[in-house]
């Protein structure tokens, strides 16, 4: 009984978030989709229904038989140091999101809860060849519809073309001295219209979870007029050794005690909530 009461607040929080997502999806359904007129909102919220909310949404949307272009979500590796823990943490975030059957990804054969597919792709800033900001034109002063050809530097044009491919972003960032890595701020500063209006999520990590970095990043993304979702999982790294020296990145592994701690704290559930919030934001378009 004591254990049940211990997890009761987490259960209530998860249920509240689920209901919020259901109503969000109902209120912000994709264009050209008509909800079943026989399926009233009161029925969705009735505790006597035998089907889950997500099953109801799935059956409702499947009636539309509407095929839409897939939406691409970039999960960004924000650190560029060598070696790094960031790629390992980012892969963990990717695996949690793509294994969630309630998020309509194209990575699995699960039944969609939304008529469009979402693809999660890892985007590594270390592979973008961006020097310290040296662009001679002001990004916000370029044509909003097609800024890419108007940049003066070839690496800026290449970076602009990469970012424009994505519909939403999840930034996975470590905390450096209560802030984000310079590499992430640098990559964001190169562009403006490529970010503006797109949904964004934040996942931070550090000795205490990286909350200061997440707060700082939220302000930066808001300044770029991105639609930052509310849920921001913070991963305390207590047992995983931060890589130093000549250790190869693909050899960096998360300590099972850290993973167990994140699961116990409900952080994986928060990641899934973040994913569903991005789905709802994409549905508004």
């Amino acid at each position: 009984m004591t254990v049940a009461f211990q997890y009761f607040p987490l259960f209530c929080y998860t249920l509240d978030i689920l209901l919020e997502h259901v109503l969000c999806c109902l209120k912000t359904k994709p264009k050209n989709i008509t909800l079943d007129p026989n399926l009233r909102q009161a029925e969705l919220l009735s505790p006597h229904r035998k089907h889950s909310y997500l099953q109801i949404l799935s059956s409702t949307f499947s009636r539309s038989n509407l095929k839409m272009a897939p939406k691409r979500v970039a999960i960004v590796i924000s650190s560029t140091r060598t070696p790094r823990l960031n790629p390992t943490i980012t892969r963990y975030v990717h695996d949690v999101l793509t294994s969630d059957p309630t998020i309509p990804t194209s990575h699995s054969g699960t039944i969609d809860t939304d008529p469009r597919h979402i693809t999660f792709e890892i985007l590594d800033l270390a592979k973008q060849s961006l020097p310290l900001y040296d662009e001679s034109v002001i990004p916000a002063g370029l044509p909003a519809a097609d800024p890419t050809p108007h940049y003066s530097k070839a690496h800026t044009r290449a970076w602009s073309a990469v970012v424009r491919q994505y519909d939403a972003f999840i930034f996975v960032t470590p905390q450096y001295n209560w802030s984000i890595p310079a590499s992430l701020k640098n990559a964001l500063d190169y562009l403006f219209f490529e970010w503006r209006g797109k949904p964004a999520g934040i996942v931070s990590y550090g000795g205490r979870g990286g909350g200061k970095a997440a707060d700082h990043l939220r302000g930066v993304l808001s300044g770029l007029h991105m639609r930052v979702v509310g849920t921001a999982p913070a991963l305390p790294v207590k047992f995983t050794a931060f890589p130093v020296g000549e250790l190869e990145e693909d050899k960096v592994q998360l300590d099972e005690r850290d993973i167990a701690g994140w699961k116990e704290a409900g952080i994986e559930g928060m990641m899934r909530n973040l994913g569903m919030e991005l789905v709802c934001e994409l549905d508004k378009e």
Side-chain angles (χ1 to χ4, degrees):
M1 183 66 69
T2 303
V3 175
F5 277 113
Q6 178 182 353
Y7 289 99
F8 184 71
L10 178 59
F11 169 77
C12 292
Y13 169 78
T14 304
L15 181 60
D16 180 65
I17 291 294
L18 177 60
L19 291 174
E20 180 181 340
H21 290 331
V22 170
L23 293 177
C24 173
C25 289
L26 286 174
K27 294 177 181 178
T28 61
K29 56 184 182 293
K31 296 177 182 178
N32 301 323
I33 288 183
T34 302
L35 291 176
D36 184 346
N38 297 318
L39 188 63
R40 299 188 302 273
Q41 198 172 89
E43 288 184 271
L44 285 174
L45 300 180
S46 171
H48 303 294
R49 288 198 65 91
K50 295 181 180 180
H51 303 292
S52 71
Y53 304 119
L54 294 175
Q55 287 174 323
I56 295 168
L57 285 176
S58 177
S59 63
T60 300
F61 287 137
S62 64
R63 297 187 188 105
S64 66
N65 295 320
L66 180 64
K67 293 183 179 180
M68 303 180 72
K71 293 291 184 177
R72 300 176 65 185
V73 179
I75 307 179
V76 182
I77 301 175
S78 303
S79 166
T80 58
R81 64 184 289 268
T82 302
R84 302 175 289 172
L85 180 58
N86 207 167
T88 304
I89 297 281
T90 303
R91 173 57 61 181
Y92 171 74
V93 174
H94 175 275
D95 291 347
V96 169
L97 291 173
T98 55
S99 64
D100 183 0
T102 66
I103 298 177
T105 69
S106 60
H107 302 281
S108 64
T110 57
I111 297 176
D112 285 352
T113 60
D114 188 274
R116 84 183 88 199
H117 285 288
I118 306 294
T119 60
F120 291 104
E121 305 171 28
I122 292 178
L123 176 62
D124 190 351
L125 292 186
K127 297 180 179 180
Q128 306 310 314
S129 302
L130 290 174
L132 190 62
Y133 186 74
D134 64 350
E135 180 56 51
S136 60
V137 301
I138 300 175
L142 300 181
D146 186 20
T148 305
H150 300 278
Y151 290 106
S152 65
K153 307 291 185 180
H155 52 259
T156 313
R157 294 192 292 273
W159 177 229
S160 172
V162 168
V163 172
R164 291 180 69 182
Q165 297 176 38
Y166 295 100
D167 302 285
F169 299 85
I170 298 174
F171 298 95
V172 182
T173 181
Q175 179 168 298
Y176 289 178
N177 299 314
W178 285 23
S179 187
I180 59 177
S183 53
L184 176 54
K185 184 62 164 63
N186 190 55
L188 291 169
D189 286 345
Y190 262 99
L191 312 173
F192 179 73
F193 290 111
E194 296 85 341
W195 305 116
R196 190 178 71 170
K198 293 181 179 179
I202 300 171
V203 177
S204 63
Y205 68 91
R208 296 182 179 179
K212 298 289 187 182
D215 291 343
H216 187 185
L217 180 55
R218 183 177 296 275
V220 173
L221 300 181
S222 297
L224 291 168
H225 301 286
M226 300 190 79
R227 291 147 46 199
V228 188
V229 301
T231 301
L235 286 65
V237 180
K238 298 180 179 179
F239 300 103
T240 301
F242 284 85
V244 294
E246 301 301 321
L247 183 64
E248 296 180 16
E249 288 182 359
D250 59 1
K251 299 291 180 62
V252 179
Q253 295 183 345
L254 294 174
D255 192 297
E256 291 296 329
R257 292 171 293 179
D258 277 331
I259 297 176
W262 300 337
K263 290 181 178 178
E264 184 177 352
I267 291 178
E268 288 193 355
M270 292 182 67
M271 290 183 191
R272 296 184 180 100
N273 291 338
L274 184 157
M276 284 303 298
E277 288 178 32
L278 284 179
V279 169
C280 286
E281 287 297 320
L282 288 169
D283 282 349
K284 294 178 181 179
E285 299 175 356

